[in-house]
Amino acid sequence: MTAESPRRIELLHTEVRYRVTRSRRLKSVQLRIDVAHGLEVLLPRRLEGYDERPLLRRHARWILERLRRSEARRALGPRAVWTDGGEVPLFGHRCPLTVRVERDRGRTAARYRGGRVAVRAPIDASPDDLRSAVVALYRAIARETLESRVAHWSREASVRARSVTIREQATRWGSCSGAGRLSFNWRLVIAPCEILDYVAAHEVAHLVHFDHGPEWQGLLDRLMPDWRRWEDWLDRNGELLYLP
């Protein structure tokens, strides 16, 4: 998917920000509203020159109501304070953040050690720079953690994944291709560790059974007997797994 620069429109005397995302996989135009991204118009890549504004105006009342609900939901979500002594969400906890400013430093970088996230930044670093560095760190943590858990569950299921990729999928936490390649969303590291473990087991089970039928469920029952508990948690709270 390719996201374009944010846009604005007035709906029922209310200014609304939104973004347009294009994808080869989409076959029709879709509207999506979530806590992390707000209003998003999803377009098939082939629809060049499409004007989304009439669609947004037709659904103005629905959009504004969903945005209101999303904002209320956002208040329950994670907090990030992008200053020294602030906090960022990690593994289901509020993790202390330290920021060290270095006058001669060229770029912002982050690491995780001793239960805290430490960022080293140049003197002119912005909160967006700090966030980008932490996202890069979270991607690395996600890769290390999920590769380890995939290896564990693969041994238990007597299968082998061809590869593990870390991405930022718009709608999925994990996926398994027919060629045995597993892909995971880096935002899983914001969730409790049990959620990462569940999603890893879920996708490994797809290496054996590609659908969600009784055989797949039976294998997951054997691998992780309480998997339904974590599936339910992710259904209820997945929208809140984002880095503000």
Side-chain angles (χ1 to χ4, degrees):
M1 286 191 172
T2 303
E4 301 179 1
S5 300
R7 304 180 185 184
R8 299 172 185 266
I9 189 172
E10 185 172 298
L11 299 177
L12 301 178
H13 309 294
T14 301
E15 185 178 80
V16 174
R17 289 171 56 90
Y18 68 97
R19 69 177 186 175
V20 173
T21 301
R22 299 182 182 274
S23 172
R24 296 189 188 92
R25 296 182 178 181
L26 289 175
K27 296 182 179 180
S28 62
V29 180
Q30 301 176 22
L31 297 180
R32 181 174 66 203
I33 297 173
D34 63 31
V35 172
H37 300 109
L39 173 61
E40 191 169 17
V41 182
L42 305 176
L43 297 179
R45 195 177 295 275
R46 58 183 169 78
L47 288 184
E48 293 294 336
Y50 177 84
D51 185 356
E52 72 283 351
R53 290 172 295 179
L55 175 68
L56 296 176
R57 293 189 181 104
R58 284 200 306 273
H59 296 281
R61 293 188 184 279
W62 178 84
I63 289 170
L64 292 174
E65 175 59 20
R66 286 292 304 273
L67 286 173
R68 185 191 65 77
R69 294 181 187 178
S70 182
E71 187 61 30
R73 183 84 166 135
R74 187 182 185 91
L76 303 175
R79 294 285 185 273
V81 181
W82 299 107
T83 57
D84 186 46
E87 295 178 322
V88 290
L90 181 63
F91 292 135
H93 301 289
R94 300 178 69 82
C95 180
L97 175 70
T98 60
V99 179
R100 179 179 175 184
V101 176
E102 300 175 352
R103 184 176 299 275
D104 297 327
R105 187 166 184 83
R107 66 183 184 87
T108 307
R111 64 180 180 177
Y112 178 64
R113 189 168 67 179
R116 64 178 57 235
V117 171
V119 178
R120 299 172 68 184
I123 196 167
D124 60 348
S126 68
D128 283 345
D129 294 327
L130 301 183
R131 184 187 183 280
S132 295
V134 172
V135 168
L137 170 66
Y138 280 18
R139 284 180 177 270
I141 293 173
R143 173 173 294 282
E144 180 180 358
T145 305
L146 286 162
E147 283 182 345
S148 174
R149 298 317 296 164
V150 165
H152 168 77
W153 293 121
S154 295
R155 288 192 297 270
E156 293 293 312
S158 300
V159 292
R160 184 177 180 180
R162 291 191 63 182
S163 64
V164 174
T165 303
I166 304 301
R167 297 178 179 173
E168 185 173 10
Q169 299 97 321
T171 59
R172 294 183 176 184
W173 296 112
S175 62
C176 174
S177 75
R181 295 184 174 89
L182 304 186
S183 181
F184 299 95
N185 196 316
W186 69 263
R187 291 187 289 124
L188 284 167
V189 299
I190 298 171
C193 294
E194 293 87 351
I195 303 304
L196 283 85
D197 211 18
Y198 155 66
V199 177
H202 180 123
E203 299 306 332
V204 166
H206 280 315
L207 294 172
V208 184
H209 304 292
F210 207 60
D211 58 17
H212 290 97
E215 292 181 322
W216 174 85
Q217 294 182 39
L219 174 57
L220 203 49
D221 284 336
R222 179 171 68 80
L223 295 177
M224 179 179 280
D226 60 349
W227 66 272
R228 289 175 179 82
R229 172 185 177 187
W230 307 120
E231 180 183 60
D232 180 65
W233 189 98
L234 195 54
D235 286 343
R236 288 184 289 105
N237 299 285
E239 189 181 14
L240 300 179
L241 300 181
Y242 66 95
L243 194 60

